[in-house]
Amino acid sequence: MTFTTRPEITGTFGVATSTHWIASAVGMGVLERGGNAFDAAAAMGFVLHVVEPHLNGPLGDMPMLIKPAGDTEPTMVCGQGVAPAGATIAHFKNQGLELIPGSGLLATVVPGAFDAWMITLRDHGSLPLRDILEPAIHYARTGHPLLPRVANTIAGLADFFAAEWPTSYATWAPGGALPQAGALFRNPQLADTWERVLSEAETVSGREAQIEAARKAFYCGFIAEAIDGFVADACLMDASGAPHKGVLNGQDMANWRASYEAPLQVDYHGWTVWKGGPWTQGPTLLQSLKLLEGLPLDQMDLNGAEFVHHVTEAMKLAFADRETYYGDPDFTEIPMDLLLSDGYAADRRMLIGAMASTDQRPGRLPGHDAWVEAMLSHAALSHQPGHAIGAGEPTMSHLTEKRGDTVHLDVIDRWGNMVSATPSGGWLQSSPVVPGLGMPLNSRAQMFWLEDGLPTSLAPGRRPRTTLSPSMARAPDGAELAFGTPGGDQQDQWQLIYLLRLVHGGLNLQEGIDAPLFHTGHFQSSFYPREVTPGHLMVEPGFGAEVIETLRAKGHAIEVAEPWTVGRLTAASRAPDGLLRAAATPRLMQAYAVGR
């Protein structure tokens, strides 16, 4: 028997897996009470806001893939809010800015995660809204054991909060005392906020009507009013090193709602893989698969240097195209058909050589020379860190705990409903708490560029090109898979590596998660201050010294991570006969899979 850090969970009733054990247990509890996967996922999502506040929050954002039982393909739920009406390039330039700060009020877009949960519950859930919110209210009101990383994040920013963001200091250091790792931590304001939402929702009868009332309270009622008043008055310090006022207002919130759309897909060695559109970075995984399908991965050691090298070089090419071509397709015609075409992949595949490339090599599609030149110009500038107050959503502890990250969850119920969701934004370290609400705003606008004519140019009503990227896939035998990970720019790198090991190595869900991981920071970071590290390759030491030295000899700028620190994958699957499986990463010792 192959040793794994945890068992691959199997059963037929239901599975729930996420980046925090409490959320996974809550999700399973909802399934046990007769709820379906959509109910369970939403309850998990709201709990994750409470127990991992440094990684996501209620005023953040979320793309989610859902697959109701009987549907042949998943649907994307877009919980990515848009830039406010006042978020113009001219306004930011008039503030003396060349980059959008990675924290503070200027970086805020319309909060999107809440409405994504609400429309999914309305259209596919089965339980009353109170059943969904009560677990989160419980942990916010009575307390939850504080993760060491949350305690460390708060301690590292306590002086800044006290001096610059007093509402955050009051929330995260109640009574002026720093919270301790493992001790119960409470956020009574957040509990009050959800109780008021429920109180207003329950003035009407019927599950769907109550959900609609909750949406109104959030986007047109007291929550929107609190945000409007706070942002209108506050002028607070951000990652630029100077104080700025925000531009989000209540009308921006009233004008936006979450939506459904079809995901993109490719076929790879008999598998079908689904990802979000180009407003996410999801197509990088699909482009990477297209590049790799012409290479002999079946003949490679999936923990060997040749595999790591070829996958890394493919990812560099795919992410160069991300930086050049991806953006909100509602605003710009994105050439996704060309980027995912066989001919384009064949041409690009020829660029993968025996040695690591240190060049930025976007594909040159006809009529898009200006986009290519802008991408190369951005990478050449390689903005280096100045102030880093809560900026970004990078890859966990091997950067800094003062930066944000993300959470992820996967759920499958006994009927075959499936959910894969990646909530993020609203990090405690990236934006001040809105008075009276117990929750901070998001900082997703930092992914826009402050120049005209690009798919990612800042513009009112436009979605930022997010890093958030849940996944679904179908195997040749009909088994269906939901999977994902936190990790900013690394999300689709780790997910790609994971999927390749399932496809080419036949590993089970937990074996694939336990295998050593790697990623590159060669391309432009999505997060302020938008660094570039040519040739970079981070590897876990589990690959072994010989593999690592071989990669160095191939020209990769190797950074060896601490053991068991790269990636936070979770996954769940359903076979055609109804057998369910689930797995979760041992890394950071937080994620857990539950099922029976």
Side-chain angles (χ1 to χ4, degrees):
M1 182 178 70
T2 301
F3 173 81
T4 55
T5 58
R6 287 121 182 247
E8 182 188 57
I9 301 298
T10 57
T12 57
F13 178 83
V15 289
T17 182
S18 80
T19 51
H20 196 291
W21 68 91
I22 288 178
S24 299
V26 164
M28 195 66 199
V30 171
L31 296 179
E32 296 283 6
R33 293 195 300 276
N36 62 26
F38 310 108
D39 300 313
M44 293 166 72
F46 284 102
V47 167
L48 286 169
H49 296 328
V50 177
V51 299
E52 295 195 278
H54 61 318
L55 306 182
N56 75 137
L59 300 180
D61 25 47
M62 179 187 67
M64 173 166 55
L65 285 169
I66 62 171
K67 187 177 177 296
D71 284 10
T72 57
E73 297 182 352
T75 296
M76 173 62 79
V77 186
C78 176
Q80 177 55 66
V82 300
T88 64
I89 290 174
H91 177 78
F92 280 68
K93 291 279 193 178
N94 287 340
Q95 307 296 309
L97 297 169
E98 295 298 322
L99 291 174
I100 297 176
S103 66
L105 298 177
L106 264 181
T108 295
V109 300
V110 175
F114 182 84
D115 209 49
W117 287 125
M118 290 301 105
I119 66 168
T120 302
L121 287 170
R122 180 196 65 193
D123 299 337
H124 302 286
S126 63
L127 297 181
L129 184 58
R130 179 168 289 277
D131 288 359
I132 306 304
L133 288 177
E134 277 190 335
I137 293 170
H138 167 79
Y139 286 109
R141 178 84 64 205
T142 66
H144 58 93
L146 194 69
L147 293 170
R149 292 176 185 278
V150 183
N152 292 343
T153 299
I154 294 169
L157 287 168
D159 290 344
F160 172 80
F161 285 168
E164 305 291 350
W165 295 356
T167 56
S168 290
Y169 190 74
T171 299
W172 307 117
L178 293 179
Q180 299 302 303
L184 289 180
F185 181 82
R186 299 170 179 84
N187 187 345
Q189 275 196 346
L190 179 58
D192 291 344
T193 297
W194 294 141
E195 286 283 12
R196 182 171 173 184
V197 167
L198 285 175
S199 176
E200 295 193 11
E202 290 170 349
T203 60
V204 298
S205 299
R207 193 183 70 85
E208 292 183 15
Q210 289 181 358
I211 290 171
E212 289 300 319
R215 298 174 77 196
K216 182 177 180 181
F218 195 97
Y219 287 95
C220 302
F222 80 96
I223 290 178
E225 291 168 1
I227 292 170
D228 182 282
F230 176 53
V231 176
D233 292 339
C235 183
L236 298 173
M237 185 67 68
D238 58 41
S240 71
H244 292 101
K245 294 179 68 67
V247 293
L248 179 71
N249 60 39
Q251 193 61 51
D252 295 314
M253 295 187 63
N255 290 342
W256 183 86
R257 291 296 182 272
S259 59
Y260 298 116
E261 61 185 59
L264 298 173
Q265 70 178 70
V266 301
D267 294 326
Y268 179 80
H269 286 265
W271 289 64
T272 302
V273 185
W274 290 277
K275 297 292 296 185
W279 58 272
T280 76
Q281 69 176 357
T284 59
L285 187 148
L286 304 183
Q287 283 194 252
S288 297
L289 290 175
K290 298 293 290 185
L291 287 163
L292 292 167
E293 68 180 349
L295 298 176
L297 266 62
D298 280 329
Q299 302 171 29
M300 297 181 188
D301 176 357
L302 300 183
N303 289 326
E306 287 302 312
F307 174 78
V308 175
H309 170 75
H310 284 87
V311 172
T312 299
E313 294 305 295
M315 294 191 302
K316 289 178 184 177
L317 295 173
F319 277 84
D321 283 347
R322 181 197 76 171
E323 284 305 297
T324 306
Y325 296 107
Y326 292 13
D328 188 346
D330 292 344
F331 274 68
T332 306
E333 186 173 343
I334 309 297
M336 282 312 311
D337 287 346
L338 277 173
L339 293 171
L340 293 175
S341 67
D342 291 339
Y344 182 75
D347 289 343
R348 297 281 279 163
R349 191 180 301 121
M350 295 175 65
L351 296 175
I352 300 176
M355 298 296 291
S357 172
T358 57
D359 296 328
Q360 303 295 329
R361 299 184 291 177
R364 290 187 175 268
L365 297 178
H368 295 91
D369 287 345
W371 291 4
V372 172
E373 295 308 315
M375 178 271 179
L376 294 173
S377 175
H378 295 157
L381 288 173
S382 185
H383 302 277
Q384 293 303 312
H387 303 273
I389 304 162
E393 172 205 278
T395 71
M396 321 174 312
S397 59
H398 31 77
L399 289 181
T400 167
E401 290 177 341
K402 292 184 182 179
R403 290 190 168 201
D405 200 345
T406 304
V407 300
H408 184 79
L409 62 91
D410 302 295
V411 188
I412 308 177
D413 63 29
R414 63 188 183 272
W415 301 287
N417 299 303
M418 300 176 62
V419 178
S420 180
T422 311
S424 187
W427 309 303
L428 73 85
Q429 62 272 33
S430 295
S431 193
V433 168
V434 180
L437 298 184
M439 53 179 92
L441 285 159
N442 64 78
S443 52
R444 190 63 61 178
Q446 66 186 287
M447 296 183 174
F448 288 115
W449 290 104
L450 295 179
E451 55 193 272
D452 288 315
L454 304 177
T456 47
S457 299
L458 177 66
R462 175 176 273 174
R463 288 175 287 187
R465 192 276 302 146
T466 182
T467 53
L468 306 175
S469 190
S471 299
M472 285 189 179
R474 182 182 295 126
D477 65 359
E480 296 178 320
L481 175 69
F483 63 109
T485 179
D489 293 313
Q490 285 65 50
Q491 288 180 35
D492 280 297
Q493 300 189 60
W494 298 331
Q495 291 179 74
L496 171 68
I497 298 159
Y498 179 63
L499 182 63
L500 291 172
R501 284 172 169 155
L502 301 187
V503 174
H504 295 287
L507 304 184
N508 73 30
L509 299 187
Q510 191 64 47
E511 289 170 342
I513 284 175
D514 284 354
L517 284 167
F518 58 93
H519 65 258
T520 176
H522 167 81
F523 50 84
Q524 191 105 45
S525 169
S526 298
F527 299 93
Y528 181 89
R530 314 302 295 268
E531 304 101 315
V532 174
T533 311
H536 170 267
L537 179 60
M538 175 172 276
V539 295
E540 287 190 304
F543 281 103
E546 183 178 350
V547 168
I548 292 170
E549 288 309 310
T550 301
L551 291 167
R552 267 201 189 95
K554 287 180 173 292
H556 296 281
I558 297 294
E559 180 181 1
V560 180
E562 292 297 312
W564 297 98
T565 60
V566 175
R568 293 181 67 202
L569 288 153
T570 68
S573 70
R574 184 179 188 272
D577 64 0
L579 180 63
L580 304 176
R581 304 176 186 272
T585 184
R587 296 164 176 90
L588 299 193
M589 297 187 292
Q590 291 174 204
Y592 237 86
V594 186
R596 68 171 179 89

